[in-house]
Amino acid sequence: FATNPSSLGSLGFTVWYNGKLFFAFHSTLIGEVTGNLAEFAGLYRALLWASQHCIGNLTIYSDSDGLVTWFNGGSNLRNAKVKKLADSINRIRHSVDATLLWVSRDNERQQFTDFISKLGIYNEAGYSTYDAHTALLAYYNNHNGHDLH
């Protein structure tokens, strides 16, 4: 995010299975968007996707200290929009048996997920075919994971 809050934001998540990219998703957020709101929205969309695909016993990684702390019972929320998302997360999180752990922004998968989330500024899309994954990974690798503007 260039500013916090901004009028446009993005979110994204990736699903890895047996060490390989299985699914990638990005979307745009419009309105008064903070980084915190985008993190909660990303977690909600990831949990929703897992629930819709009957995937459980998940380990989710995030570089957001605030999100991980809240998820694990350690903080209260003040922002009304974030609270609303948190309520939605709480309704779905136990149905997929999710664990949320913190990971450094230097983590390679986290950097790829950040790259995917930045694509959300342009449109909403999910990638679940081998060809799409190959293209995304090649594009990411060709740009060395750097911000694309």
Side-chain angles (χ1 to χ4, degrees):
F1 294 96
T3 60
N4 192 11
S6 168
S7 61
L8 182 68
S10 62
L11 65 91
F13 68 88
T14 55
V15 178
W16 302 81
Y17 182 74
N18 286 338
K20 300 203 184 286
L21 180 64
F22 179 75
F23 183 78
F25 176 85
H26 60 76
S27 181
T28 305
L29 297 170
I30 299 171
E32 244 186 70
V33 180
T34 64
N36 205 22
L37 181 67
E39 295 286 354
F40 275 77
L43 176 60
Y44 173 71
R45 292 298 293 262
L47 290 172
L48 184 62
W49 183 88
S51 176
Q52 290 169 339
H53 292 84
C54 300
I55 297 171
N57 196 18
L58 317 175
T59 301
I60 300 172
Y61 297 92
S62 174
D63 63 3
S64 170
D65 289 325
L67 180 64
V68 173
T69 299
W70 168 81
F71 190 89
N72 293 308
S75 68
N76 294 320
L77 304 172
R78 292 181 295 240
N79 181 296
K81 289 180 182 179
V82 173
K83 281 182 181 180
K84 188 173 179 177
L85 272 171
D87 290 342
S88 297
I89 289 168
N90 278 330
R91 282 192 296 275
I92 198 169
R93 70 189 275 188
H94 299 293
S95 69
V96 295
D97 189 26
T99 302
L100 184 63
L101 302 174
W102 181 85
V103 66
S104 167
R105 287 188 176 142
D106 295 334
N107 177 281
E108 185 176 311
R109 288 183 183 175
Q110 183 62 39
Q111 289 178 356
F112 181 72
T113 303
D114 285 344
F115 167 79
I116 291 295
S117 74
K118 286 175 179 58
L119 295 177
I121 294 210
Y122 304 105
N123 67 358
E124 180 171 311
Y127 303 93
S128 59
T129 67
Y130 177 78
D131 290 341
H133 289 162
T134 302
L136 281 171
L137 287 168
Y139 190 67
Y140 175 75
N141 290 333
N142 288 337
H143 290 88
N144 297 317
H146 297 288
D147 242 358
L148 305 172
H149 295 286

